[in-house]
Amino acid sequence: KDLYRLFRATQEERKQLWQQFVARYPFEKFRDVDTEIDGMYYDKVFRGVVYEQVMQKNYKILDELIDVASFISLTEFHRLLVMGELEHGRVTADFIFPYSKKLVERIEALTKQKTGAEARFYSPLQWEQRQLNYSVPAFLGHAKLLHRLGDDKTALTWLEKIKDQKSSKTAEFLGLYATLLENNGRREESMQVVENAVSLNKATPEAIALLKNEYIRKHKSEKGFDEYFNSLKSTEVLSAQQEHLRSQLIRKDAPTFRLEQLKGGYADLSKLKGSIVVLDFWATWCGPCKAALPGMQMAVDKYSKDDKVNFFFIATQETKPDYRGEIKAFLKANNYRLNVLYDGKNSVNGKLDDTYAKYAKQLRFSGIPAKIIIDRHGMVRWSSNGYMGSPSALADEISYIIELLKKEG
């Protein structure tokens, strides 16, 4: 009853109720309680208490509760309170690093401790592997933080702990792992990781740069690199991807727009008949949107000299008063060369999502990132929501659709 009351409490009520709760049910006496109500509510309440304190800049709550937090709570704290806050610029790398270190060290310790009802179904080794697989985002995040702070040696040790886990086979992991191997003098291993990433079509721009540098080192020229790069890709993976893309082709009228450009002037869709137009709806507060931009930059670079292919990155649903300044700073910090448009004010809800709302209604989708490709006749031919995690695969998707539409004339 007390737990459910805490779950239902307001933020102000919860602060007082939480103190009463932990006094009545000390952590050390109730850590092994395993009931349906406990499973449904306890961790949610626990995390809510911590989140509320951290939002008030009280990071000391992590120091106080880290040793009694559940494994899942620890991984969530790292995802939201370390990497999330860092990504949104609310904390600096130097400030958040000590908390990241404490969290991952505690997470690692718990991978070897069989606790909870589920643990009885696993051998010690099976349990450790299971927990390590869940640890991948936290260990990867900590390695990224160490890399940012210039400690590539320690960063590599954290990736080595999880390199064999199924959930580590992502473009982000492989790209950072290859970079850290290279920076630690293990070039041959780095190239193996890069080639594997390319074969799976899970290559980041950083991984591709490593491969290109090695190619130039061996051949004394970059001539032939593109052919070499494409030859490494699995034909089976590419064929499956392309078949899926063909099945997604549509033909619907594209809502028109005239939007202000970050670089000045306006972009008017009605004046772009005869050109292929790629739209990317994104926002500075949207993690997946920003994660997809390296792949989109690869596609932009590929067609940079083609005046019949236009890319527009429509910043939508922004809420901060100085969102325009934030966008400019973000682009500069990441060296993105993207033609950003500012979405207009929606006359229905007053939000800055007018163009997004028209496309969402026409194509029946919701959420961002959302990518749209319009053919030379002003028809929407392809759309996609979300981001699957691979810059090279995303660039290939966009390129494949563009080339299909070019052939149509």
PDB file of all heavy atoms in Angstrom, residues 247-273:
ATOM      1  N   SER A 247       9.877  -2.253 -51.985  1.00  0.00           N
ATOM      2  CA  SER A 247       8.529  -2.562 -51.494  1.00  0.00           C
ATOM      3  C   SER A 247       7.894  -1.366 -50.785  1.00  0.00           C
ATOM      4  O   SER A 247       6.678  -1.334 -50.578  1.00  0.00           O
ATOM      5  CB  SER A 247       8.576  -3.760 -50.539  1.00  0.00           C
ATOM      6  OG  SER A 247       9.159  -3.406 -49.290  1.00  0.00           O
ATOM      7  N   GLN A 248       8.696  -0.384 -50.406  1.00  0.00           N
ATOM      8  CA  GLN A 248       8.198   0.792 -49.678  1.00  0.00           C
ATOM      9  C   GLN A 248       7.806   1.948 -50.597  1.00  0.00           C
ATOM     10  O   GLN A 248       7.273   2.957 -50.127  1.00  0.00           O
ATOM     11  CB  GLN A 248       9.267   1.297 -48.701  1.00  0.00           C
ATOM     12  CG  GLN A 248       9.549   0.376 -47.524  1.00  0.00           C
ATOM     13  CD  GLN A 248      10.581   0.976 -46.585  1.00  0.00           C
ATOM     14  OE1 GLN A 248      11.626   1.458 -47.013  1.00  0.00           O
ATOM     15  NE2 GLN A 248      10.275   0.969 -45.294  1.00  0.00           N
ATOM     16  N   LEU A 249       8.051   1.837 -51.889  1.00  0.00           N
ATOM     17  CA  LEU A 249       7.756   2.939 -52.805  1.00  0.00           C
ATOM     18  C   LEU A 249       6.259   3.244 -52.833  1.00  0.00           C
ATOM     19  O   LEU A 249       5.418   2.340 -52.834  1.00  0.00           O
ATOM     20  CB  LEU A 249       8.251   2.608 -54.210  1.00  0.00           C
ATOM     21  CG  LEU A 249       9.773   2.611 -54.405  1.00  0.00           C
ATOM     22  CD1 LEU A 249      10.137   2.112 -55.797  1.00  0.00           C
ATOM     23  CD2 LEU A 249      10.354   3.992 -54.156  1.00  0.00           C
ATOM     24  N   ILE A 250       5.940   4.535 -52.835  1.00  0.00           N
ATOM     25  CA  ILE A 250       4.557   4.993 -52.856  1.00  0.00           C
ATOM     26  C   ILE A 250       4.432   6.081 -53.915  1.00  0.00           C
ATOM     27  O   ILE A 250       5.394   6.429 -54.594  1.00  0.00           O
ATOM     28  CB  ILE A 250       4.127   5.544 -51.471  1.00  0.00           C
ATOM     29  CG1 ILE A 250       5.074   6.686 -51.035  1.00  0.00           C
ATOM     30  CG2 ILE A 250       4.112   4.434 -50.431  1.00  0.00           C
ATOM     31  CD1 ILE A 250       4.679   7.349 -49.733  1.00  0.00           C
ATOM     32  N   ARG A 251       3.225   6.643 -54.047  1.00  0.00           N
ATOM     33  CA  ARG A 251       3.021   7.762 -54.974  1.00  0.00           C
ATOM     34  C   ARG A 251       1.878   8.626 -54.416  1.00  0.00           C
ATOM     35  O   ARG A 251       0.704   8.301 -54.590  1.00  0.00           O
ATOM     36  CB  ARG A 251       2.684   7.258 -56.375  1.00  0.00           C
ATOM     37  CG  ARG A 251       2.721   8.359 -57.453  1.00  0.00           C
ATOM     38  CD  ARG A 251       2.313   7.791 -58.804  1.00  0.00           C
ATOM     39  NE  ARG A 251       3.233   6.781 -59.253  1.00  0.00           N
ATOM     40  CZ  ARG A 251       4.339   7.004 -59.953  1.00  0.00           C
ATOM     41  NH1 ARG A 251       4.648   8.254 -60.289  1.00  0.00           N
ATOM     42  NH2 ARG A 251       5.117   6.026 -60.342  1.00  0.00           N
ATOM     43  N   LYS A 252       2.251   9.697 -53.722  1.00  0.00           N
ATOM     44  CA  LYS A 252       1.256  10.590 -53.136  1.00  0.00           C
ATOM     45  C   LYS A 252       1.672  12.040 -53.360  1.00  0.00           C
ATOM     46  O   LYS A 252       2.863  12.341 -53.458  1.00  0.00           O
ATOM     47  CB  LYS A 252       1.113  10.333 -51.633  1.00  0.00           C
ATOM     48  CG  LYS A 252       0.508   8.978 -51.291  1.00  0.00           C
ATOM     49  CD  LYS A 252       0.182   8.883 -49.808  1.00  0.00           C
ATOM     50  CE  LYS A 252      -0.515   7.575 -49.490  1.00  0.00           C
ATOM     51  NZ  LYS A 252      -0.944   7.496 -48.067  1.00  0.00           N
ATOM     52  N   ASP A 253       0.680  12.914 -53.438  1.00  0.00           N
ATOM     53  CA  ASP A 253       0.974  14.337 -53.613  1.00  0.00           C
ATOM     54  C   ASP A 253       1.798  14.863 -52.449  1.00  0.00           C
ATOM     55  O   ASP A 253       1.528  14.534 -51.288  1.00  0.00           O
ATOM     56  CB  ASP A 253      -0.324  15.149 -53.699  1.00  0.00           C
ATOM     57  CG  ASP A 253      -1.080  14.884 -54.990  1.00  0.00           C
ATOM     58  OD1 ASP A 253      -0.421  14.630 -56.013  1.00  0.00           O
ATOM     59  OD2 ASP A 253      -2.319  14.927 -54.964  1.00  0.00           O
ATOM     60  N   ALA A 254       2.797  15.667 -52.752  1.00  0.00           N
ATOM     61  CA  ALA A 254       3.643  16.263 -51.717  1.00  0.00           C
ATOM     62  C   ALA A 254       3.084  17.618 -51.312  1.00  0.00           C
ATOM     63  O   ALA A 254       2.939  18.510 -52.163  1.00  0.00           O
ATOM     64  CB  ALA A 254       5.070  16.419 -52.218  1.00  0.00           C
ATOM     65  N   PRO A 255       2.732  17.810 -50.040  1.00  0.00           N
ATOM     66  CA  PRO A 255       2.280  19.137 -49.587  1.00  0.00           C
ATOM     67  C   PRO A 255       3.352  20.189 -49.884  1.00  0.00           C
ATOM     68  O   PRO A 255       4.539  19.956 -49.643  1.00  0.00           O
ATOM     69  CB  PRO A 255       2.091  18.944 -48.085  1.00  0.00           C
ATOM     70  CG  PRO A 255       1.836  17.473 -47.915  1.00  0.00           C
ATOM     71  CD  PRO A 255       2.698  16.817 -48.953  1.00  0.00           C
ATOM     72  N   THR A 256       2.936  21.304 -50.396  1.00  0.00           N
ATOM     73  CA  THR A 256       3.903  22.344 -50.735  1.00  0.00           C
ATOM     74  C   THR A 256       4.346  23.095 -49.476  1.00  0.00           C
ATOM     75  O   THR A 256       3.689  23.042 -48.437  1.00  0.00           O
ATOM     76  CB  THR A 256       3.304  23.329 -51.750  1.00  0.00           C
ATOM     77  OG1 THR A 256       4.341  24.191 -52.226  1.00  0.00           O
ATOM     78  CG2 THR A 256       2.189  24.153 -51.122  1.00  0.00           C
ATOM     79  N   PHE A 257       5.469  23.790 -49.577  1.00  0.00           N
ATOM     80  CA  PHE A 257       5.949  24.613 -48.460  1.00  0.00           C
ATOM     81  C   PHE A 257       6.870  25.704 -48.989  1.00  0.00           C
ATOM     82  O   PHE A 257       7.469  25.582 -50.051  1.00  0.00           O
ATOM     83  CB  PHE A 257       6.687  23.768 -47.413  1.00  0.00           C
ATOM     84  CG  PHE A 257       7.911  23.046 -47.925  1.00  0.00           C
ATOM     85  CD1 PHE A 257       9.127  23.704 -48.084  1.00  0.00           C
ATOM     86  CD2 PHE A 257       7.845  21.684 -48.254  1.00  0.00           C
ATOM     87  CE1 PHE A 257      10.250  23.040 -48.557  1.00  0.00           C
ATOM     88  CE2 PHE A 257       8.961  21.022 -48.731  1.00  0.00           C
ATOM     89  CZ  PHE A 257      10.169  21.686 -48.877  1.00  0.00           C
ATOM     90  N   ARG A 258       6.940  26.764 -48.223  1.00  0.00           N
ATOM     91  CA  ARG A 258       7.903  27.839 -48.465  1.00  0.00           C
ATOM     92  C   ARG A 258       8.448  28.209 -47.093  1.00  0.00           C
ATOM     93  O   ARG A 258       7.766  28.849 -46.294  1.00  0.00           O
ATOM     94  CB  ARG A 258       7.253  29.049 -49.133  1.00  0.00           C
ATOM     95  CG  ARG A 258       8.239  30.182 -49.459  1.00  0.00           C
ATOM     96  CD  ARG A 258       7.539  31.317 -50.208  1.00  0.00           C
ATOM     97  NE  ARG A 258       8.483  32.376 -50.563  1.00  0.00           N
ATOM     98  CZ  ARG A 258       8.794  33.412 -49.792  1.00  0.00           C
ATOM     99  NH1 ARG A 258       8.235  33.515 -48.569  1.00  0.00           N
ATOM    100  NH2 ARG A 258       9.648  34.330 -50.187  1.00  0.00           N
ATOM    101  N   LEU A 259       9.684  27.788 -46.817  1.00  0.00           N
ATOM    102  CA  LEU A 259      10.251  27.928 -45.476  1.00  0.00           C
ATOM    103  C   LEU A 259      11.564  28.701 -45.491  1.00  0.00           C
ATOM    104  O   LEU A 259      12.349  28.597 -46.446  1.00  0.00           O
ATOM    105  CB  LEU A 259      10.485  26.543 -44.858  1.00  0.00           C
ATOM    106  CG  LEU A 259       9.243  25.690 -44.607  1.00  0.00           C
ATOM    107  CD1 LEU A 259       9.652  24.297 -44.131  1.00  0.00           C
ATOM    108  CD2 LEU A 259       8.328  26.351 -43.595  1.00  0.00           C
ATOM    109  N   GLU A 260      11.777  29.422 -44.409  1.00  0.00           N
ATOM    110  CA  GLU A 260      13.018  30.188 -44.257  1.00  0.00           C
ATOM    111  C   GLU A 260      14.204  29.251 -44.072  1.00  0.00           C
ATOM    112  O   GLU A 260      14.125  28.255 -43.353  1.00  0.00           O
ATOM    113  CB  GLU A 260      12.895  31.122 -43.047  1.00  0.00           C
ATOM    114  CG  GLU A 260      14.086  32.052 -42.863  1.00  0.00           C
ATOM    115  CD  GLU A 260      13.951  32.937 -41.641  1.00  0.00           C
ATOM    116  OE1 GLU A 260      12.880  32.922 -40.999  1.00  0.00           O
ATOM    117  OE2 GLU A 260      14.944  33.632 -41.317  1.00  0.00           O
ATOM    118  N   GLN A 261      15.309  29.594 -44.725  1.00  0.00           N
ATOM    119  CA  GLN A 261      16.528  28.808 -44.624  1.00  0.00           C
ATOM    120  C   GLN A 261      17.480  29.412 -43.594  1.00  0.00           C
ATOM    121  O   GLN A 261      17.552  30.636 -43.464  1.00  0.00           O
ATOM    122  CB  GLN A 261      17.251  28.749 -45.975  1.00  0.00           C
ATOM    123  CG  GLN A 261      16.419  28.151 -47.081  1.00  0.00           C
ATOM    124  CD  GLN A 261      17.152  28.123 -48.407  1.00  0.00           C
ATOM    125  OE1 GLN A 261      17.327  27.090 -49.002  1.00  0.00           O
ATOM    126  NE2 GLN A 261      17.589  29.288 -48.874  1.00  0.00           N
ATOM    127  N   LEU A 262      18.200  28.565 -42.908  1.00  0.00           N
ATOM    128  CA  LEU A 262      19.208  29.044 -41.960  1.00  0.00           C
ATOM    129  C   LEU A 262      20.234  29.922 -42.665  1.00  0.00           C
ATOM    130  O   LEU A 262      20.689  30.928 -42.116  1.00  0.00           O
ATOM    131  CB  LEU A 262      19.881  27.851 -41.286  1.00  0.00           C
ATOM    132  CG  LEU A 262      20.989  28.128 -40.266  1.00  0.00           C
ATOM    133  CD1 LEU A 262      21.019  27.020 -39.209  1.00  0.00           C
ATOM    134  CD2 LEU A 262      22.368  28.216 -40.914  1.00  0.00           C
ATOM    135  N   LYS A 263      20.581  29.566 -43.882  1.00  0.00           N
ATOM    136  CA  LYS A 263      21.614  30.300 -44.617  1.00  0.00           C
ATOM    137  C   LYS A 263      21.089  31.598 -45.233  1.00  0.00           C
ATOM    138  O   LYS A 263      21.845  32.362 -45.826  1.00  0.00           O
ATOM    139  CB  LYS A 263      22.218  29.418 -45.706  1.00  0.00           C
ATOM    140  CG  LYS A 263      21.240  29.025 -46.802  1.00  0.00           C
ATOM    141  CD  LYS A 263      21.899  28.107 -47.830  1.00  0.00           C
ATOM    142  CE  LYS A 263      20.942  27.717 -48.945  1.00  0.00           C
ATOM    143  NZ  LYS A 263      21.579  26.797 -49.930  1.00  0.00           N
ATOM    144  N   GLY A 264      19.776  31.840 -45.088  1.00  0.00           N
ATOM    145  CA  GLY A 264      19.178  33.040 -45.662  1.00  0.00           C
ATOM    146  C   GLY A 264      18.281  32.701 -46.836  1.00  0.00           C
ATOM    147  O   GLY A 264      18.492  31.703 -47.531  1.00  0.00           O
ATOM    148  N   GLY A 265      17.272  33.540 -47.068  1.00  0.00           N
ATOM    149  CA  GLY A 265      16.348  33.284 -48.154  1.00  0.00           C
ATOM    150  C   GLY A 265      15.328  32.216 -47.784  1.00  0.00           C
ATOM    151  O   GLY A 265      15.203  31.815 -46.628  1.00  0.00           O
ATOM    152  N   TYR A 266      14.615  31.751 -48.813  1.00  0.00           N
ATOM    153  CA  TYR A 266      13.557  30.767 -48.593  1.00  0.00           C
ATOM    154  C   TYR A 266      13.689  29.599 -49.553  1.00  0.00           C
ATOM    155  O   TYR A 266      14.222  29.744 -50.663  1.00  0.00           O
ATOM    156  CB  TYR A 266      12.175  31.410 -48.774  1.00  0.00           C
ATOM    157  CG  TYR A 266      11.805  32.356 -47.648  1.00  0.00           C
ATOM    158  CD1 TYR A 266      12.291  33.662 -47.628  1.00  0.00           C
ATOM    159  CD2 TYR A 266      11.006  31.920 -46.595  1.00  0.00           C
ATOM    160  CE1 TYR A 266      11.972  34.537 -46.587  1.00  0.00           C
ATOM    161  CE2 TYR A 266      10.685  32.778 -45.548  1.00  0.00           C
ATOM    162  CZ  TYR A 266      11.167  34.068 -45.552  1.00  0.00           C
ATOM    163  OH  TYR A 266      10.861  34.915 -44.527  1.00  0.00           O
ATOM    164  N   ALA A 267      13.223  28.445 -49.122  1.00  0.00           N
ATOM    165  CA  ALA A 267      13.146  27.260 -49.976  1.00  0.00           C
ATOM    166  C   ALA A 267      11.678  27.049 -50.322  1.00  0.00           C
ATOM    167  O   ALA A 267      10.832  26.952 -49.430  1.00  0.00           O
ATOM    168  CB  ALA A 267      13.695  26.034 -49.248  1.00  0.00           C
ATOM    169  N   ASP A 268      11.388  27.004 -51.617  1.00  0.00           N
ATOM    170  CA  ASP A 268      10.006  26.884 -52.099  1.00  0.00           C
ATOM    171  C   ASP A 268       9.883  25.607 -52.918  1.00  0.00           C
ATOM    172  O   ASP A 268      10.453  25.497 -54.004  1.00  0.00           O
ATOM    173  CB  ASP A 268       9.669  28.109 -52.947  1.00  0.00           C
ATOM    174  CG  ASP A 268       8.191  28.191 -53.301  1.00  0.00           C
ATOM    175  OD1 ASP A 268       7.514  27.140 -53.273  1.00  0.00           O
ATOM    176  OD2 ASP A 268       7.715  29.296 -53.606  1.00  0.00           O
ATOM    177  N   LEU A 269       9.130  24.647 -52.398  1.00  0.00           N
ATOM    178  CA  LEU A 269       9.001  23.352 -53.076  1.00  0.00           C
ATOM    179  C   LEU A 269       8.382  23.499 -54.462  1.00  0.00           C
ATOM    180  O   LEU A 269       8.749  22.776 -55.391  1.00  0.00           O
ATOM    181  CB  LEU A 269       8.171  22.391 -52.218  1.00  0.00           C
ATOM    182  CG  LEU A 269       8.016  20.970 -52.774  1.00  0.00           C
ATOM    183  CD1 LEU A 269       9.375  20.270 -52.846  1.00  0.00           C
ATOM    184  CD2 LEU A 269       7.052  20.147 -51.912  1.00  0.00           C
ATOM    185  N   SER A 270       7.469  24.435 -54.615  1.00  0.00           N
ATOM    186  CA  SER A 270       6.777  24.592 -55.901  1.00  0.00           C
ATOM    187  C   SER A 270       7.729  24.972 -57.028  1.00  0.00           C
ATOM    188  O   SER A 270       7.401  24.807 -58.208  1.00  0.00           O
ATOM    189  CB  SER A 270       5.672  25.647 -55.776  1.00  0.00           C
ATOM    190  OG  SER A 270       6.222  26.934 -55.530  1.00  0.00           O
ATOM    191  N   LYS A 271       8.900  25.498 -56.666  1.00  0.00           N
ATOM    192  CA  LYS A 271       9.870  25.920 -57.689  1.00  0.00           C
ATOM    193  C   LYS A 271      10.919  24.851 -57.971  1.00  0.00           C
ATOM    194  O   LYS A 271      11.910  25.110 -58.670  1.00  0.00           O
ATOM    195  CB  LYS A 271      10.558  27.210 -57.244  1.00  0.00           C
ATOM    196  CG  LYS A 271       9.596  28.398 -57.127  1.00  0.00           C
ATOM    197  CD  LYS A 271      10.312  29.667 -56.689  1.00  0.00           C
ATOM    198  CE  LYS A 271       9.342  30.833 -56.598  1.00  0.00           C
ATOM    199  NZ  LYS A 271      10.013  32.088 -56.151  1.00  0.00           N
ATOM    200  N   LEU A 272      10.719  23.645 -57.423  1.00  0.00           N
ATOM    201  CA  LEU A 272      11.725  22.594 -57.565  1.00  0.00           C
ATOM    202  C   LEU A 272      11.270  21.432 -58.434  1.00  0.00           C
ATOM    203  O   LEU A 272      11.835  20.343 -58.362  1.00  0.00           O
ATOM    204  CB  LEU A 272      12.127  22.079 -56.175  1.00  0.00           C
ATOM    205  CG  LEU A 272      12.887  23.096 -55.315  1.00  0.00           C
ATOM    206  CD1 LEU A 272      13.048  22.580 -53.888  1.00  0.00           C
ATOM    207  CD2 LEU A 272      14.251  23.391 -55.915  1.00  0.00           C
ATOM    208  N   LYS A 273      10.237  21.657 -59.234  1.00  0.00           N
ATOM    209  CA  LYS A 273       9.812  20.616 -60.175  1.00  0.00           C
ATOM    210  C   LYS A 273      10.973  20.320 -61.132  1.00  0.00           C
ATOM    211  O   LYS A 273      11.645  21.223 -61.602  1.00  0.00           O
ATOM    212  CB  LYS A 273       8.594  21.081 -60.964  1.00  0.00           C
ATOM    213  CG  LYS A 273       7.308  21.162 -60.145  1.00  0.00           C
ATOM    214  CD  LYS A 273       6.760  19.785 -59.816  1.00  0.00           C
ATOM    215  CE  LYS A 273       5.501  19.881 -58.943  1.00  0.00           C
ATOM    216  NZ  LYS A 273       4.357  20.492 -59.634  1.00  0.00           N
TER     217      LYS A 273
END
